[in-house]
């Protein structure tokens, strides 16, 4: 099905693994398209209730493959044709998406991690705003997400100085939810993802929508969005199950419906 991506569904979690380990999973046109296609498949699959994006080998993603860069390249067109469709597909996904950052996430690789809902990192992981070192601007949505996660001033520091941010510092900054040792890394990732996969998926999707809308809505508009969202959530099977489980003093079994 894919050549540069590994795609597998286990226990209601879709694992999308960037699979160019010899190139530190650097982006190519094919990899952009296959990530987009894998996200779309997971979004449409009713059996999938959470997504994990990670990298094969020792890197998460080192950014654009510089072997394909030339002086004649129109970087704006590359973004419009390759990166923007991938990122928009990710933005449209209403299921929780986890970036499992196993190694370096540099340049557009860091942008991909920022675009996910959660970032968990191995102790060997790092984040690098590498763009400045080649005279470029952080792209692929990077400067949209970064200040929302860590604030304007810190985003400016990271973007301008382009220093390597190790996993523990990334957690302190608020970029990362958890840092795990490489021992049993795959088990840690699966446990985190399956926890989300067993939660009320529809409610998570509504939370994602509302958080995005909160930046651009008036308070009055947002209160109406609250009401609309809660109406939808209140009609879900998971809400009914949650109430029933509370009344019966047991743990709810959510089905994402």
């Amino acid at each position: 099905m894919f050549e540069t991506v590994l795609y597998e569904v286990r226990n209601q979690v879709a694992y999308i693994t960037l699979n160019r380990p010899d190139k530190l999973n650097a982006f190519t046109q094919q990899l952009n398209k296959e990530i987009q296609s894998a996200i779309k498949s997971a979004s449409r699959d009713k059996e999938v209730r959470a997504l994990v994006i990670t990298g094969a080998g020792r890197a998460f993603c080192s950014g654009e493959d510089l072997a394909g860069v030339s002086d004649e390249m129109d970087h704006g067109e590359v973004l419009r044709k390759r990166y923007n469709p991938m990122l928009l597909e990710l933005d449209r996904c209403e299921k929780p998406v986890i970036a499992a950052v196993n190694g370096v996430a540099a340049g557009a690789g860091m942008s991909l991690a920022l675009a996910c809902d959660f970032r968990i990192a191995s102790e060997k992981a790092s984040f690098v705003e590498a763009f400045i070192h080649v005279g470029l601007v952080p792209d692929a949505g990077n400067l949209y997400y970064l200040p929302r996660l860590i604030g304007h001033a810190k985003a400016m520091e990271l973007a301008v100085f382009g220093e390597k941010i190790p996993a523990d510092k990334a957690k302190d900054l608020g970029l990362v939810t958890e840092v795990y040792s490489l021992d049993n890394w795959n088990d840690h990732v699966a446990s985190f993802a399956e926890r989300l996969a067993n939660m009320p998926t529809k409610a998570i999707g509504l939370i994602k929508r509302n958080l995005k809308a909160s930046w651009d809505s008036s308070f009055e508009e947002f209160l109406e969005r609250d009401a609309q969202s809660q109406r939808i959530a209140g009609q879900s099977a998971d809400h009914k199950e949650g109430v029933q489980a509370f009344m019966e003093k047991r743990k709810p079994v959510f089905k994402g419906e």
Side-chain angles (χ1 to χ4, degrees):
M1 184 177 180
F2 300 113
E3 294 180 12
T4 61
V5 162
L6 301 176
Y7 183 85
E8 182 182 6
V9 177
R10 300 193 310 271
N11 298 326
Q12 300 180 301
V13 178
Y15 293 87
I16 301 169
T17 304
L18 284 56
N19 192 32
R20 301 187 71 228
D22 56 323
K23 300 295 185 181
L24 301 182
N25 302 316
F27 284 116
T28 61
Q29 181 175 354
Q30 183 177 10
L31 181 55
N32 288 129
K33 288 183 176 179
E34 291 191 357
I35 293 171
Q36 178 186 351
S37 179
I39 294 169
K40 182 180 290 187
S41 295
S43 296
R44 292 177 174 178
D45 187 344
K46 293 181 179 179
E47 297 303 311
V48 171
R49 292 171 58 189
L51 289 70
V52 169
I53 299 176
T54 192
R58 60 190 179 90
F60 176 76
C61 177
S62 60
E64 177 70 12
D65 190 337
L66 296 181
V69 174
S70 68
D71 292 341
E72 295 76 30
M73 176 180 285
D74 183 332
H75 294 281
E77 282 304 297
V78 171
L79 289 167
R80 293 186 186 100
K81 291 179 179 179
R82 287 174 42 194
Y83 284 90
N84 292 3
M86 176 187 73
L87 292 161
L88 288 169
E89 192 65 53
L90 181 56
D91 183 69
R92 283 190 289 265
C93 180
E94 297 206 337
K95 300 171 183 180
V97 184
I98 305 112
V101 184
N102 52 303
V104 66
M110 179 170 172
S111 302
L112 177 61
L114 296 178
C116 296
D117 301 310
F118 301 91
R119 282 150 299 284
I120 58 176
S122 84
E123 59 190 354
K124 298 294 185 181
S126 60
F127 298 81
V128 188
E129 291 279 53
F131 303 91
I132 196 71
H133 301 305
V134 289
L136 292 176
V137 178
D139 60 24
N142 190 297
L143 295 182
Y144 179 87
Y145 290 109
L146 191 62
R148 286 165 165 76
L149 292 169
I150 64 172
H152 179 99
K154 279 296 178 185
M156 187 72 176
E157 286 179 29
L158 268 59
V160 170
F161 292 112
E163 296 175 349
K164 184 177 181 179
I165 308 299
D168 56 349
K169 185 175 179 181
K171 188 175 189 300
D172 291 340
L173 286 170
L175 285 175
V176 167
T177 302
E178 293 288 351
V179 177
Y180 298 109
S181 71
L182 280 176
D183 295 334
N184 301 317
W185 164 249
N186 290 333
D187 291 338
H188 290 308
V189 173
S191 177
F192 190 95
E194 288 172 20
R195 176 186 175 189
L196 285 164
N198 286 302
M199 295 178 73
T201 313
K202 186 170 290 186
I204 292 175
L206 292 165
I207 289 169
K208 290 178 65 167
R209 284 192 211 175
N210 288 3
L211 280 170
K212 292 173 191 173
S214 69
W215 294 94
D216 302 309
S217 302
S218 69
F219 187 54
E220 184 177 3
E221 290 169 340
F222 196 79
L223 289 176
E224 177 56 29
R225 176 175 286 274
D226 271 348
Q228 293 174 359
S229 298
Q230 205 67 302
R231 177 177 181 273
I232 295 168
Q235 294 175 341
S236 69
D238 280 344
H239 169 62
K240 295 178 176 62
E241 164 62 11
V243 172
Q244 188 69 26
F246 178 81
M247 299 298 291
E248 296 174 0
K249 298 181 179 179
R250 61 175 173 81
K251 186 177 179 179
V253 179
F254 298 118
K255 298 181 178 179
E257 299 173 352

